[in-house]
Amino acid sequence: MRDSTQREIDYLRISVTDRCNLRCVYCMPEDGVPCLAHSDILSYETIIRLCRVFASLGVSKIKLTGGEPLVRRGLPHLVEQLKAIDGIRSVTLTTNGVLLEEQLPDLICAGLNGVNISLDTLDPARFHTITRRDALPRVLAGLRAALAADGLNVKLNCVPTLENQSDWVPLAALSQDSRLAVRFIELMPVGLGASLQRQDEAQVRAVLEAVFGPMQPTAGPSGNGPCRYFRPEGFTGSIGFISALTHTFCRRCNRVRLTANGFLKTCLQYETGVALRPLLEQGAEDDALRRAILDAVRDKPAHHHFAEGGRQLSHMNEVGG
Ligand code: SAM
Ligand code: SF4
């Protein structure tokens, strides 16, 4: 399916829960946010039905996110069912990694294609400052397990801030001798992210190049989107930048987002989209869902306005990143 600016939309990010076992300072307040009632969260059966409809409209790649997707029980079952849908080529996961080691075998059996692990520091004290929990050893165990899994596409996502400046080099170095892609994602003024000071791609790059030497553009691992990959000499893996503010990629945006309570969000910044849940509750047939999705996608905003001071008030755990 295409929007009114002729961008092809083939990638759906699904937030399967707004709950999380961490409290990252740029994402969730310390004492949490009022969570959706279980009855308001789309059931797996409903998600699978909607994904069949999305697949019939050309969506071929699905990312499961949250909140923390691994806190929702039975995720491997969802992965397996999504992989069985005609037209769905790839199902991947974005996770904080805390519960990954124990769930990875079942996820792999279910056909998971890739995992993105969010990790901003290798220092236990700083991990606690950023996430307000002590879980670094479990995240590292999850990362090791993922890298040991044959054929699984593994990426590490770091949000660079003033607080973790001294971690950029050690994190990037993880890709020196392994097939890992370490990606730096510019902080966006979404929810609590608006109150922290962003560190731009250029700042991160200068620090990395001072240590590793010049980085050459490279193809990087297969992926869904806007990351630009580089490889310093001698590296096995790659270093990526997703820079929504300093290298805006809206013109190539290929994605829409489904929130845990069934709102189809067509742009990260704006509330534009359609609430699919009421349609489902009214017993809408697949054709009616297809029409609602196509109408919403047609009106997808052409670009965000973060760089001009635009904000998104929703917390990132509701939107899924
Ligand atoms: N809990 C999972 C995780 O942390 O990977 C999935 C959901 S989380 C909202 C998805 C991604 O969004 C994480 O990589 C996180 O670092 C990133 N994120 C959260 N708030 C952000 C912000 N304001 N700007 C940029 N990235 C953000
Ligand atoms: Fe949880 Fe992910 Fe948000 Fe951190 S970024 S609080 S892990 S949802």
Side-chain angles (χ1 to χ4, degrees), residues 172-216:
L174 293 175
S175 64
Q176 201 154 10
D177 298 317
S178 84
R179 61 191 177 88
L180 186 65
V182 175
R183 311 176 331 153
F184 293 90
I185 303 183
E186 276 182 357
L187 181 74
M188 289 178 280
V190 176
L192 296 170
S195 56
L196 297 178
Q197 197 182 329
R198 185 181 82 237
Q199 298 293 285
D200 292 347
E201 171 177 333
Q203 291 166 294
V204 179
R205 219 184 142 122
V207 168
L208 299 187
E209 290 197 322
V211 174
F212 300 120
M215 298 198 265
Q216 303 305 327

Short mmCIF file of all heavy atoms in Angstrom, two decimals, residues 172-216:
data_model
loop_
_atom_site.label_atom_id
_atom_site.label_comp_id
_atom_site.label_asym_id
_atom_site.label_seq_id
_atom_site.Cartn_x
_atom_site.Cartn_y
_atom_site.Cartn_z
N ALA A 172 30.53 0.25 20.87
CA ALA A 172 30.87 0.07 19.44
C ALA A 172 31.88 -1.05 19.28
O ALA A 172 31.82 -1.82 18.31
CB ALA A 172 31.42 1.39 18.88
N ALA A 173 32.79 -1.19 20.25
CA ALA A 173 33.84 -2.21 20.16
C ALA A 173 33.26 -3.63 20.19
O ALA A 173 33.92 -4.57 19.76
CB ALA A 173 34.86 -2.03 21.28
N LEU A 174 32.02 -3.77 20.65
CA LEU A 174 31.41 -5.11 20.66
C LEU A 174 31.26 -5.66 19.24
O LEU A 174 31.13 -6.86 19.04
CB LEU A 174 30.02 -5.07 21.33
CG LEU A 174 29.98 -4.76 22.83
CD1 LEU A 174 28.53 -4.64 23.30
CD2 LEU A 174 30.71 -5.85 23.61
N SER A 175 31.26 -4.76 18.25
CA SER A 175 31.09 -5.23 16.88
C SER A 175 32.43 -5.46 16.18
O SER A 175 32.47 -5.82 15.01
CB SER A 175 30.26 -4.22 16.06
OG SER A 175 30.95 -3.01 15.95
N GLN A 176 33.53 -5.25 16.94
CA GLN A 176 34.86 -5.38 16.32
C GLN A 176 35.12 -6.83 15.87
O GLN A 176 35.54 -7.06 14.74
CB GLN A 176 35.92 -4.96 17.33
CG GLN A 176 37.22 -4.57 16.71
CD GLN A 176 38.01 -3.59 17.60
OE1 GLN A 176 37.65 -3.35 18.75
NE2 GLN A 176 39.06 -3.03 17.06
N ASP A 177 34.85 -7.77 16.76
CA ASP A 177 35.17 -9.17 16.46
C ASP A 177 33.94 -10.04 16.39
O ASP A 177 34.03 -11.26 16.49
CB ASP A 177 36.11 -9.74 17.54
CG ASP A 177 37.42 -8.98 17.57
OD1 ASP A 177 37.96 -8.69 16.48
OD2 ASP A 177 37.88 -8.64 18.68
N SER A 178 32.78 -9.45 16.26
CA SER A 178 31.57 -10.28 16.15
C SER A 178 30.69 -9.73 15.04
O SER A 178 30.91 -8.61 14.56
CB SER A 178 30.79 -10.29 17.47
OG SER A 178 29.94 -9.17 17.54
N ARG A 179 29.68 -10.50 14.66
CA ARG A 179 28.83 -10.09 13.54
C ARG A 179 27.77 -9.06 13.97
O ARG A 179 26.85 -8.74 13.23
CB ARG A 179 28.14 -11.32 12.95
CG ARG A 179 27.24 -12.04 13.96
CD ARG A 179 26.79 -13.38 13.45
NE ARG A 179 25.99 -14.09 14.41
CZ ARG A 179 24.68 -13.98 14.54
NH1 ARG A 179 24.02 -13.16 13.75
NH2 ARG A 179 24.03 -14.67 15.45
N LEU A 180 27.90 -8.55 15.19
CA LEU A 180 26.92 -7.63 15.75
C LEU A 180 26.89 -6.29 14.98
O LEU A 180 27.93 -5.81 14.54
CB LEU A 180 27.29 -7.36 17.21
CG LEU A 180 26.33 -6.53 18.04
CD1 LEU A 180 24.99 -7.26 18.22
CD2 LEU A 180 26.95 -6.25 19.43
N ALA A 181 25.70 -5.73 14.84
CA ALA A 181 25.57 -4.35 14.36
C ALA A 181 25.24 -3.49 15.58
O ALA A 181 24.23 -3.73 16.25
CB ALA A 181 24.47 -4.24 13.32
N VAL A 182 26.09 -2.53 15.89
CA VAL A 182 25.84 -1.63 17.04
C VAL A 182 25.33 -0.31 16.48
O VAL A 182 26.02 0.35 15.69
CB VAL A 182 27.14 -1.41 17.86
CG1 VAL A 182 26.90 -0.38 18.95
CG2 VAL A 182 27.61 -2.73 18.46
N ARG A 183 24.12 0.06 16.88
CA ARG A 183 23.48 1.22 16.25
C ARG A 183 23.22 2.32 17.29
O ARG A 183 22.76 2.05 18.39
CB ARG A 183 22.17 0.80 15.59
CG ARG A 183 22.43 -0.44 14.74
CD ARG A 183 21.26 -1.06 14.10
NE ARG A 183 19.99 -0.95 14.72
CZ ARG A 183 18.85 -0.99 14.05
NH1 ARG A 183 18.86 -1.11 12.73
NH2 ARG A 183 17.70 -0.91 14.67
N PHE A 184 23.50 3.54 16.90
CA PHE A 184 23.27 4.69 17.78
C PHE A 184 22.02 5.41 17.28
O PHE A 184 21.96 5.85 16.12
CB PHE A 184 24.50 5.59 17.78
CG PHE A 184 25.68 4.93 18.44
CD1 PHE A 184 26.58 4.16 17.70
CD2 PHE A 184 25.87 5.01 19.81
CE1 PHE A 184 27.64 3.51 18.30
CE2 PHE A 184 26.93 4.36 20.43
CZ PHE A 184 27.82 3.61 19.68
N ILE A 185 21.04 5.52 18.17
CA ILE A 185 19.74 6.07 17.79
C ILE A 185 19.56 7.42 18.46
O ILE A 185 19.51 7.50 19.70
CB ILE A 185 18.61 5.12 18.23
CG1 ILE A 185 18.83 3.73 17.62
CG2 ILE A 185 17.24 5.67 17.87
CD1 ILE A 185 17.74 2.74 17.92
N GLU A 186 19.50 8.47 17.67
CA GLU A 186 19.36 9.80 18.26
C GLU A 186 18.10 9.89 19.12
O GLU A 186 17.01 9.48 18.70
CB GLU A 186 19.28 10.86 17.15
CG GLU A 186 20.64 11.29 16.65
CD GLU A 186 20.58 12.37 15.58
OE1 GLU A 186 19.47 12.77 15.17
OE2 GLU A 186 21.65 12.79 15.13
N LEU A 187 18.29 10.44 20.30
CA LEU A 187 17.17 10.66 21.21
C LEU A 187 16.13 11.56 20.53
O LEU A 187 16.48 12.59 19.96
CB LEU A 187 17.70 11.35 22.48
CG LEU A 187 16.70 11.64 23.57
CD1 LEU A 187 16.30 10.35 24.30
CD2 LEU A 187 17.28 12.64 24.58
N MET A 188 14.88 11.14 20.61
CA MET A 188 13.82 11.95 19.99
C MET A 188 12.98 12.62 21.08
O MET A 188 12.82 12.06 22.17
CB MET A 188 12.94 11.06 19.12
CG MET A 188 13.65 10.60 17.87
SD MET A 188 12.62 9.52 16.89
CE MET A 188 12.83 7.98 17.74
N PRO A 189 12.43 13.79 20.78
CA PRO A 189 11.62 14.50 21.79
C PRO A 189 10.24 13.86 21.92
O PRO A 189 9.21 14.49 21.70
CB PRO A 189 11.56 15.93 21.24
CG PRO A 189 11.75 15.78 19.77
CD PRO A 189 12.59 14.56 19.54
N VAL A 190 10.26 12.60 22.28
CA VAL A 190 9.03 11.85 22.49
C VAL A 190 8.93 11.57 23.99
O VAL A 190 9.89 11.10 24.59
CB VAL A 190 9.05 10.51 21.72
CG1 VAL A 190 7.81 9.68 22.02
CG2 VAL A 190 9.20 10.75 20.23
N GLY A 191 7.81 11.88 24.60
CA GLY A 191 7.62 11.64 26.02
C GLY A 191 8.75 12.26 26.82
O GLY A 191 9.12 13.43 26.63
N LEU A 192 9.37 11.46 27.69
CA LEU A 192 10.44 11.97 28.56
C LEU A 192 11.71 12.30 27.79
O LEU A 192 12.58 12.99 28.30
CB LEU A 192 10.75 10.94 29.65
CG LEU A 192 9.60 10.67 30.61
CD1 LEU A 192 9.91 9.47 31.49
CD2 LEU A 192 9.32 11.89 31.46
N GLY A 193 11.82 11.79 26.57
CA GLY A 193 12.99 12.07 25.75
C GLY A 193 13.16 13.56 25.51
O GLY A 193 14.26 14.05 25.28
N ALA A 194 12.06 14.32 25.60
CA ALA A 194 12.11 15.75 25.34
C ALA A 194 12.85 16.49 26.44
O ALA A 194 13.31 17.62 26.25
CB ALA A 194 10.69 16.30 25.20
N SER A 195 13.00 15.87 27.62
CA SER A 195 13.61 16.59 28.74
C SER A 195 15.12 16.31 28.85
O SER A 195 15.79 16.89 29.69
CB SER A 195 12.91 16.21 30.04
OG SER A 195 12.97 14.81 30.19
N LEU A 196 15.64 15.44 28.01
CA LEU A 196 17.08 15.13 28.08
C LEU A 196 17.81 15.78 26.92
O LEU A 196 17.21 16.13 25.90
CB LEU A 196 17.29 13.61 28.02
CG LEU A 196 16.70 12.81 29.18
CD1 LEU A 196 16.95 11.33 28.97
CD2 LEU A 196 17.29 13.26 30.49
N GLN A 197 19.15 15.89 27.11
CA GLN A 197 19.93 16.54 26.05
C GLN A 197 20.42 15.52 25.04
O GLN A 197 21.15 14.59 25.40
CB GLN A 197 21.11 17.27 26.67
CG GLN A 197 21.70 18.28 25.72
CD GLN A 197 22.92 18.97 26.32
OE1 GLN A 197 23.01 19.14 27.52
NE2 GLN A 197 23.85 19.34 25.45
N ARG A 198 20.03 15.72 23.80
CA ARG A 198 20.39 14.78 22.73
C ARG A 198 21.88 14.89 22.37
O ARG A 198 22.43 15.99 22.40
CB ARG A 198 19.55 15.14 21.51
CG ARG A 198 19.70 14.21 20.35
CD ARG A 198 18.85 14.67 19.19
NE ARG A 198 19.51 15.70 18.40
CZ ARG A 198 19.02 16.90 18.15
NH1 ARG A 198 17.85 17.25 18.64
NH2 ARG A 198 19.69 17.77 17.43
N GLN A 199 22.50 13.77 22.05
CA GLN A 199 23.85 13.79 21.48
C GLN A 199 23.71 13.34 20.02
O GLN A 199 23.20 12.25 19.74
CB GLN A 199 24.76 12.84 22.26
CG GLN A 199 24.94 13.24 23.72
CD GLN A 199 25.72 14.55 23.87
OE1 GLN A 199 26.92 14.58 23.70
NE2 GLN A 199 25.01 15.64 24.19
N ASP A 200 24.14 14.20 19.12
CA ASP A 200 23.91 13.96 17.69
C ASP A 200 24.84 12.90 17.12
O ASP A 200 25.90 12.63 17.66
CB ASP A 200 24.16 15.25 16.90
CG ASP A 200 23.13 16.28 17.22
OD1 ASP A 200 22.11 15.93 17.84
OD2 ASP A 200 23.36 17.45 16.84
N GLU A 201 24.44 12.41 15.95
CA GLU A 201 25.28 11.46 15.21
C GLU A 201 26.71 11.99 15.05
O GLU A 201 27.68 11.25 15.26
CB GLU A 201 24.67 11.20 13.82
CG GLU A 201 25.60 10.42 12.92
CD GLU A 201 24.99 10.08 11.57
OE1 GLU A 201 23.75 9.98 11.46
OE2 GLU A 201 25.76 9.90 10.61
N ALA A 202 26.85 13.27 14.69
CA ALA A 202 28.19 13.81 14.43
C ALA A 202 29.07 13.73 15.68
O ALA A 202 30.28 13.45 15.58
CB ALA A 202 28.08 15.26 13.94
N GLN A 203 28.45 13.97 16.83
CA GLN A 203 29.23 13.90 18.08
C GLN A 203 29.70 12.47 18.36
O GLN A 203 30.84 12.23 18.72
CB GLN A 203 28.37 14.41 19.25
CG GLN A 203 28.10 15.90 19.17
CD GLN A 203 26.98 16.32 20.11
OE1 GLN A 203 25.82 15.94 19.95
NE2 GLN A 203 27.33 17.10 21.10
N VAL A 204 28.81 11.52 18.16
CA VAL A 204 29.16 10.12 18.41
C VAL A 204 30.23 9.67 17.42
O VAL A 204 31.23 9.06 17.77
CB VAL A 204 27.91 9.21 18.28
CG1 VAL A 204 28.28 7.75 18.51
CG2 VAL A 204 26.82 9.66 19.25
N ARG A 205 30.00 10.04 16.19
CA ARG A 205 30.93 9.63 15.13
C ARG A 205 32.34 10.14 15.37
O ARG A 205 33.32 9.42 15.20
CB ARG A 205 30.40 10.22 13.82
CG ARG A 205 30.56 9.28 12.68
CD ARG A 205 30.12 9.97 11.43
NE ARG A 205 31.04 9.52 10.43
CZ ARG A 205 30.68 8.91 9.34
NH1 ARG A 205 29.41 8.72 9.08
NH2 ARG A 205 31.58 8.51 8.47
N ALA A 206 32.43 11.40 15.81
CA ALA A 206 33.77 11.98 16.06
C ALA A 206 34.48 11.20 17.16
O ALA A 206 35.67 10.90 17.05
CB ALA A 206 33.62 13.45 16.45
N VAL A 207 33.75 10.84 18.20
CA VAL A 207 34.36 10.09 19.31
C VAL A 207 34.82 8.71 18.82
O VAL A 207 35.93 8.26 19.11
CB VAL A 207 33.34 9.95 20.48
CG1 VAL A 207 33.83 8.94 21.51
CG2 VAL A 207 33.09 11.31 21.12
N LEU A 208 33.98 8.05 18.03
CA LEU A 208 34.33 6.70 17.56
C LEU A 208 35.50 6.75 16.57
O LEU A 208 36.41 5.91 16.63
CB LEU A 208 33.12 6.03 16.90
CG LEU A 208 31.89 5.82 17.78
CD1 LEU A 208 30.83 5.00 17.04
CD2 LEU A 208 32.24 5.13 19.09
N GLU A 209 35.48 7.73 15.68
CA GLU A 209 36.55 7.78 14.66
C GLU A 209 37.90 8.13 15.28
O GLU A 209 38.95 7.70 14.80
CB GLU A 209 36.16 8.74 13.54
CG GLU A 209 35.02 8.17 12.71
CD GLU A 209 34.83 8.82 11.35
OE1 GLU A 209 35.01 10.06 11.26
OE2 GLU A 209 34.52 8.09 10.38
N ALA A 210 37.87 8.88 16.39
CA ALA A 210 39.12 9.21 17.07
C ALA A 210 39.79 7.94 17.60
O ALA A 210 41.01 7.86 17.70
CB ALA A 210 38.85 10.19 18.22
N VAL A 211 38.99 6.94 17.90
CA VAL A 211 39.55 5.69 18.45
C VAL A 211 39.74 4.63 17.37
O VAL A 211 40.78 3.97 17.30
CB VAL A 211 38.61 5.14 19.56
CG1 VAL A 211 39.09 3.78 20.04
CG2 VAL A 211 38.53 6.13 20.71
N PHE A 212 38.74 4.47 16.50
CA PHE A 212 38.76 3.35 15.55
C PHE A 212 39.23 3.76 14.16
O PHE A 212 39.36 2.91 13.27
CB PHE A 212 37.37 2.72 15.43
CG PHE A 212 36.84 2.18 16.74
CD1 PHE A 212 35.66 2.66 17.29
CD2 PHE A 212 37.53 1.18 17.41
CE1 PHE A 212 35.18 2.17 18.50
CE2 PHE A 212 37.05 0.68 18.63
CZ PHE A 212 35.88 1.17 19.17
N GLY A 213 39.43 5.05 13.92
CA GLY A 213 39.81 5.52 12.59
C GLY A 213 38.57 5.75 11.73
O GLY A 213 37.43 5.53 12.19
N PRO A 214 38.78 6.21 10.49
CA PRO A 214 37.66 6.57 9.63
C PRO A 214 36.74 5.37 9.37
O PRO A 214 37.21 4.24 9.27
CB PRO A 214 38.31 7.01 8.32
CG PRO A 214 39.77 7.09 8.59
CD PRO A 214 40.08 6.38 9.85
N MET A 215 35.46 5.66 9.28
CA MET A 215 34.49 4.59 9.03
C MET A 215 33.99 4.68 7.60
O MET A 215 33.61 5.76 7.14
CB MET A 215 33.30 4.74 9.98
CG MET A 215 33.71 4.63 11.43
SD MET A 215 32.31 4.28 12.48
CE MET A 215 31.84 5.90 13.00
N GLN A 216 34.02 3.55 6.91
CA GLN A 216 33.53 3.52 5.52
C GLN A 216 32.10 3.02 5.49
O GLN A 216 31.75 2.10 6.23
CB GLN A 216 34.38 2.57 4.67
CG GLN A 216 35.87 2.90 4.64
CD GLN A 216 36.13 4.33 4.20
OE1 GLN A 216 35.39 4.87 3.37
NE2 GLN A 216 37.15 4.97 4.76
#
